[in-house]
Amino acid sequence: VLVTDDDVARIARAQFERIEMHESAADEEEDLTHDKTLAHVSFSSRSYTCPESCGAIEITVVREGRVDVPVSVRYETASGTASPGSDYVHTFGVLDFAPGEKEKKFKVEIIDDDTWEPDELF
C-alpha cells in the first residue's frame, strides 16, 4: 500500500501462505502456481497507493487454482518504517472464500496527521 503525505508515499506489503488443498504434490520442482489441485491466494497487486488523507486503503486478495472448495486465509499488517497507531491502524483477520469465490477485500485505516513525513512502508 502506497500512502502519501502531501504527495509522499508509503507502501504496504504482506505475504500470504500458499494454501494447499491437496497434501501430495507430485513433484516439488513442478511450478505449483499452475497446479489446479491447489488453491493459490495472493494480492491482486504488488503495491497499493493512496494519499495519507484517503482514510483507508482497500486491499484485494485473489484466489486461483482450485476454487471448488472453501478456503480461509489469515492476513495481518506488519510494521516497517510506518508505525501502527500513528501512521496506520494495525489490521488483521481471516478471509473466508466460499466455493467458486475468487476475490475478497479488506481495508487498512490510514492515520492522517499534520506532520510532514518521508515515504514509509508497512
Side-chain angles (χ1 to χ4, degrees), residues 35-53:
D35 187 341
K36 298 299 181 192
T37 65
L38 302 176
H40 306 276
V41 182
S42 62
F43 292 109
S44 65
S45 177
R46 289 185 169 267
S47 63
Y48 292 83
T49 304
C50 76
E52 188 175 75
S53 61

Side-chain angles (χ1 to χ4, degrees), residues 7-116:
D7 299 325
V8 177
R10 298 181 190 147
I11 299 176
R13 299 179 201 167
Q15 297 179 352
F16 285 99
E17 297 178 28
R18 186 182 71 243
I19 306 292
E20 293 194 12
M21 300 307 300
H22 222 274
E23 288 188 355
S24 59
D27 182 3
E28 289 182 0
E29 295 187 23
E30 179 182 23
D31 181 6
L32 296 176
T33 60
H34 299 307
D35 187 341
K36 298 299 181 192
T37 65
L38 302 176
H40 306 276
V41 182
S42 62
F43 292 109
S44 65
S45 177
R46 289 185 169 267
S47 63
Y48 292 83
T49 304
C50 76
E52 188 175 75
S53 61
C54 73
I57 184 82
E58 186 172 72
I59 309 298
T60 302
V61 178
V62 294
R63 171 183 164 181
E64 298 175 330
R66 188 165 180 196
V67 297
D68 63 330
V69 294
V71 171
S72 294
V73 63
R74 291 184 308 239
Y75 64 89
E76 183 173 10
T77 55
S79 61
T81 55
S83 300
S86 61
D87 297 310
Y88 67 95
V89 175
H90 176 73
T91 305
F92 61 93
V94 175
L95 299 175
D96 294 313
F97 289 84
E101 196 169 23
K102 297 180 180 180
E103 183 178 291
K104 288 283 191 179
K105 298 178 183 206
F106 67 93
K107 290 185 179 185
V108 178
E109 190 175 332
I110 306 301
I111 299 171
D112 192 5
D113 57 30
D114 293 328
T115 306
W116 180 90

